[in-house]
Amino acid sequence: MKKTRLNKKKVAFAIILLIVIVAIIVTLVTCGIKYIIYLSSDEYKLKEIGYSEEQITTILKYATDNELEKIKNEKYEKQLTTFIEQKYFIYDKLADYIEYYNQDKTVDVSKVISIINVGADKDFYQDPKKTDTSLKELMLVNKFNYLDKTYVPENIVDVSVQYAYDDNEVPEFVYEKYLEMWNDANEDGLTLIMSSSYRDYQYQEELYNNYKNQNGTEWADSVAARAGYSEHQTGYALDIVTYNSTMEDFENSDEFKWLNENAYKYGFILRYPKDKEDITGYAYESWHYRYVGVEVASYIHENDITFDEYYAYFIENKQE
Ligand SMILES: [Zn+2]
């Protein structure tokens, strides 16, 4: 009897011991696995590079998968988190953002992003690129992107003097959109007048050269685009005013107010907005509208960005 009880005790002890050992092993294995997982995690990798907990949280919140892979393969950059949380951040431009920002820290960070994205940190006409005309209404023509002599829009038609001053011509498709807009504005008791539209390369060349011959390159550049660099050559740019208004005071008209609220619904955007000169390269022009299609115009309108910024982030950035 005694012996059996003793045996039972021994068995119970052995079972308990076994449970304890198994528990310890399970705990160790779990911890080990967790540690191995941690070692291969983004957090660990970023910590190893030198990022703080706070920086890691920011990076993991904003970086895309692609960006994270790049960040993990680069050395520590203390200013990364200043820029990565910006909406239009492009990782490959980080070094340029930092360089520009460090020269003048009074500039808003989002402005630095915009200026670098569109290349406006360079001088006008420096390293210009021939624009991709296959993008049609999304082609970019500005002081860094040009059209060559041979570019002429397709299906150009004359605009009736009911809707425009004399001698205006635009691609048929743009005309249809303009007419839709014209009619809706007219129903609201307003009259839009197209004052300038498609202008060919030769026209711009003569205009620019006249200025240049009068007062030199610097002055000519301040008053006119060089040939090939005028958005009017695309056929997608329209100058719109109303009767009894000059271009300069168009911004005080009801027609301007209406365009400001409605132009995007027809695919048009105000191309050179107020306070965006350092991005567009042009002073505010309340009369200059650009057709980019309804979808893109709506995005630009809602997000209050310029076409240059849209192009840099959503078109050029995706091509690279
Ligand atoms: Zn214009």
Side-chain angles (χ1 to χ4, degrees):
M1 277 302 276
K2 235 182 179 184
K3 213 177 177 185
T4 322
R5 206 179 299 154
L6 200 71
N7 273 345
K8 271 186 181 168
K9 267 189 178 173
K10 271 186 181 171
V11 169
F13 180 72
I15 289 170
I16 289 168
L17 192 67
L18 192 68
I19 289 170
V20 170
I21 290 170
V22 168
I24 290 170
I25 291 172
V26 167
T27 309
L28 284 177
V29 168
T30 313
C31 285
I33 290 171
K34 274 188 185 160
Y35 188 63
I36 289 166
I37 291 172
Y38 174 65
L39 286 185
S40 60
S41 73
D42 296 332
E43 284 94 333
Y44 179 78
K45 189 83 215 225
L46 292 169
K47 205 168 189 170
E48 266 222 320
I49 295 171
Y51 291 105
S52 69
E53 295 286 334
E54 200 188 337
Q55 287 174 319
I56 292 170
T57 308
T58 306
I59 292 169
L60 295 179
K61 183 173 174 191
Y62 292 102
T64 63
D65 291 349
N66 257 342
E67 286 168 354
L68 195 55
E69 278 315 302
K70 289 177 185 171
I71 293 165
K72 281 168 20 187
N73 287 306
E74 298 271 340
K75 56 183 197 311
Y76 176 70
E77 175 48 70
K78 76 169 192 287
Q79 283 173 290
L80 170 65
T81 47
T82 307
F83 297 100
I84 200 167
E85 55 187 58
Q86 292 294 319
K87 195 170 179 183
Y88 301 109
F89 172 82
I90 297 172
Y91 183 79
D92 294 339
K93 297 184 189 283
L94 178 62
D96 293 332
Y97 298 144
I98 292 171
E99 196 190 331
Y100 192 89
Y101 184 62
N102 288 348
Q103 279 167 13
D104 182 4
K105 289 195 170 154
T106 60
V107 184
D108 199 58
V109 175
S110 68
K111 195 92 178 185
V112 173
I113 299 271
S114 295
I115 289 173
I116 297 297
N117 282 4
V118 307
D121 54 321
K122 293 178 289 184
D123 290 336
F124 295 147
Y125 305 115
Q126 192 190 329
D127 317 320
K129 271 194 272 183
K130 193 158 138 181
T131 204
D132 178 2
T133 54
S134 71
L135 292 168
K136 306 234 164 159
E137 73 261 24
L138 293 179
M139 74 170 81
L140 177 69
V141 172
N142 60 13
K143 286 172 178 168
F144 303 103
N145 296 272
Y146 66 93
L147 287 164
D148 64 27
K149 246 180 218 182
T150 57
Y151 175 82
V152 175
E154 286 167 22
N155 306 323
I156 301 176
V157 294
D158 288 332
V159 179
S160 157
V161 288
Q162 190 184 345
Y163 314 108
Y165 289 137
D166 279 347
D167 297 328
N168 272 288
E169 39 180 24
V170 290
E172 195 171 10
F173 179 66
V174 177
Y175 193 19
E176 282 169 18
K177 288 287 163 187
Y178 173 74
L179 284 187
E180 255 181 63
M181 185 163 78
W182 192 95
N183 282 315
D184 288 349
N186 197 241
E187 274 181 28
D188 289 345
L190 303 166
T191 311
L192 302 177
I193 293 293
M194 193 191 296
S195 70
S196 183
S197 44
Y198 168 61
R199 301 202 292 247
D200 65 18
Y201 186 95
Q202 285 70 25
Y203 173 93
Q204 198 67 27
E205 194 170 38
E206 275 171 37
L207 184 83
Y208 179 83
N209 285 341
N210 275 340
Y211 286 133
K212 194 174 150 184
N213 294 338
Q214 279 173 44
N215 278 314
T217 306
E218 203 179 314
W219 185 72
D221 281 338
S222 74
V223 290
R226 293 185 187 176
Y229 294 84
S230 168
E231 201 179 47
H232 282 281
Q233 195 189 336
T234 65
Y236 297 111
L238 306 179
D239 291 342
I240 302 172
V241 291
T242 186
Y243 290 122
N244 306 318
S245 97
T246 62
M247 286 173 138
E248 280 68 30
D249 66 14
F250 179 61
E251 66 170 313
N252 302 315
S253 66
D254 290 340
E255 279 77 2
F256 171 73
K257 212 181 286 167
W258 190 91
L259 285 174
N260 223 359
E261 283 159 19
N262 298 290
Y264 74 94
K265 297 173 190 165
Y266 308 88
F268 293 94
I269 53 156
L270 182 71
R271 181 66 179 85
Y272 307 121
K274 217 174 222 170
D275 302 326
K276 299 284 176 88
E277 190 174 353
D278 44 4
I279 296 165
T280 64
Y282 284 88
Y284 173 46
E285 291 190 359
S286 62
W287 60 86
H288 184 111
Y289 293 83
R290 162 72 195 265
Y291 183 77
V292 290
V294 175
E295 198 185 321
V296 175
S298 302
Y299 184 91
I300 288 174
H301 179 82
E302 269 166 40
N303 292 278
D304 191 29
I305 58 171
T306 62
F307 180 59
D308 309 83
E309 290 163 279
Y310 181 90
Y311 184 91
Y313 190 78
F314 291 104
I315 300 175
E316 193 175 40
N317 183 32
K318 305 288 182 245
Q319 286 171 342
E320 277 164 4

